[in-house]
Amino acid sequence: MKKMIFVLLVGILLVGLVSACGKSNEVNGEGEKKVLVMGTSADFPPFETRDDKGNIVGFDIDLATYIANELGYELEIKDSSFDGLIGALQAKRFDFVASGMSATEKRQQSVDFSIPYNHSGEMIVTLKDSGITSMEELEGKKLAVQLGTIQEEGAKKLSEQLSNLVVKPLNKVPDMIQELKSGRVDAVYLDKTVAEGYIKELGLDGFDDTNNSAPGMAIAFPKGSDLVESFNKVLQKMMENGELEKLEQKWLQEDK
Ligand code: ARG
């Protein structure tokens, strides 16, 4: 009897082990492509946003698709709030994150980053004729930031220097723009490329954050992921063969 129970237990353990392996993005069956799950917050044009049909599109999507393809993977994209991306990576719910994420030292404590693929400054976006033209003039104003971003941190630091600066963290970038248009906040703090897009599209105004020291955007992975090296190789190749520039021309062209 004891022996039977033992055999049963071992059996259950084995079944558990085998099915756990199957989930870890190994080849799932003959001839089928392996799948890489990418997390992103699709609220950040032109890096990731939804088109008219609701598809997630943008610079990061094309970049990730190219890399996945080169490495022989299928790509599955999961839209999630920016604030939750790092935690989800740590929990290995995604294989990687491409979401205009700046590779800060703080984040490097929790995740691994690829080499940077883009550098963007930061900007403050306002309504036309707002009278706010410098960081100092944010004194006494309401500033919207996206939850979990470097702008949220930056704004908190700024509010230690400027009295009465009210920081309003919101989940999605379009909501921040909506708050600005309806006058519930005076300004919005964003990565420059994204800010410039909204300024142009909606006839808004804005100015550069002169204190900006943001590190480049990079792809993030769970700590220790062996994908980092293979992604870096493809990224490096894209920098040399002009593929990265093609994507920049497609998505990031600013008329200067
Ligand atoms: N670059 C900023 C950061 O890393 C903002 C990124 C926001 N990305 C997004 N998809 N909403 O904190």
Side-chain angles (χ1 to χ4, degrees):
M1 186 63 191
K2 262 195 190 149
K3 200 175 164 196
M4 250 180 74
I5 292 179
F6 179 74
V7 169
L8 246 168
L9 277 177
V10 170
I12 290 172
L13 253 171
L14 272 176
V15 169
L17 260 175
V18 168
S19 58
C21 284
K23 272 188 210 142
S24 65
N25 302 324
E26 299 292 320
V27 186
N28 36 24
E30 298 289 294
E32 255 180 76
K33 268 194 170 177
K34 305 166 277 175
V35 177
L36 281 185
V37 180
M38 157 176 157
T40 194
S41 173
D43 64 343
F44 205 57
F47 293 98
E48 43 269 334
T49 186
R50 298 238 177 208
D51 67 8
D52 303 339
K53 296 187 197 86
N55 299 318
I56 303 179
V57 296
F59 181 95
D60 287 342
I61 316 307
D62 281 2
L63 182 71
T65 306
Y66 186 95
I67 298 174
N69 208 28
E70 283 285 298
L71 299 174
Y73 289 99
E74 203 99 59
L75 190 64
E76 184 186 329
I77 300 175
K78 293 211 168 137
D79 197 0
S80 154
S81 73
F82 187 80
D83 194 30
L85 291 176
I86 298 262
L89 264 186
Q90 287 180 297
K92 303 223 165 104
R93 281 205 297 279
F94 308 136
D95 294 302
F96 70 94
V97 159
S99 197
M101 188 179 276
S102 314
T104 63
E105 269 174 35
K106 191 169 166 198
R107 287 175 179 152
Q108 280 174 41
Q109 290 168 12
S110 327
V111 297
D112 283 347
F113 282 105
S114 69
I115 50 175
Y117 61 83
N118 184 263
H119 288 269
S120 168
E122 295 174 88
M123 272 185 91
I124 299 287
V125 180
T126 63
L127 293 178
K128 271 235 148 65
D129 306 317
S130 69
I132 311 171
T133 56
S134 70
M135 298 308 269
E136 293 71 39
E137 282 164 340
L138 286 169
E139 175 110 42
K141 305 287 186 198
K142 278 204 195 96
L143 177 64
V145 293
Q146 182 172 32
L147 263 170
T149 59
I150 54 168
Q151 286 81 20
E152 183 186 20
E153 278 201 13
K156 277 190 189 141
K157 277 202 198 109
L158 198 65
S159 68
E160 285 161 19
Q161 294 152 31
L162 303 178
S163 57
N164 308 321
L165 169 67
V166 180
V167 180
K168 188 166 183 183
L170 293 167
N171 218 339
K172 294 275 165 191
V173 174
D175 294 341
M176 293 157 57
I177 299 294
Q178 200 45 51
E179 292 280 295
L180 177 68
K181 288 205 301 186
S182 59
R184 282 190 294 270
V185 299
D186 303 289
V188 166
Y189 200 3
L190 282 172
D191 284 45
K192 184 164 174 162
T193 313
V194 179
E196 280 175 333
Y198 280 113
I199 291 174
K200 202 169 148 206
E201 188 194 323
L202 304 172
L204 301 168
D205 218 336
F207 56 90
D208 284 341
D209 169 10
T210 41
N211 312 324
N212 162 67
S213 58
M217 293 174 182
I219 300 173
F221 305 85
K223 266 225 167 298
S225 165
D226 45 21
L227 287 173
V228 185
E229 213 187 303
S230 24
F231 269 57
N232 276 344
K233 276 200 188 122
V234 181
L235 271 172
Q236 195 61 50
K237 188 170 134 195
M238 293 178 80
M239 288 172 190
E240 284 154 18
N241 67 9
E243 286 298 330
L244 196 69
E245 206 183 316
K246 264 195 215 158
L247 292 189
E248 285 164 6
Q249 270 160 13
K250 175 172 174 194
W251 294 104
L252 313 179
Q253 271 315 322
E254 297 136 22
D255 20 29
K256 281 180 189 134

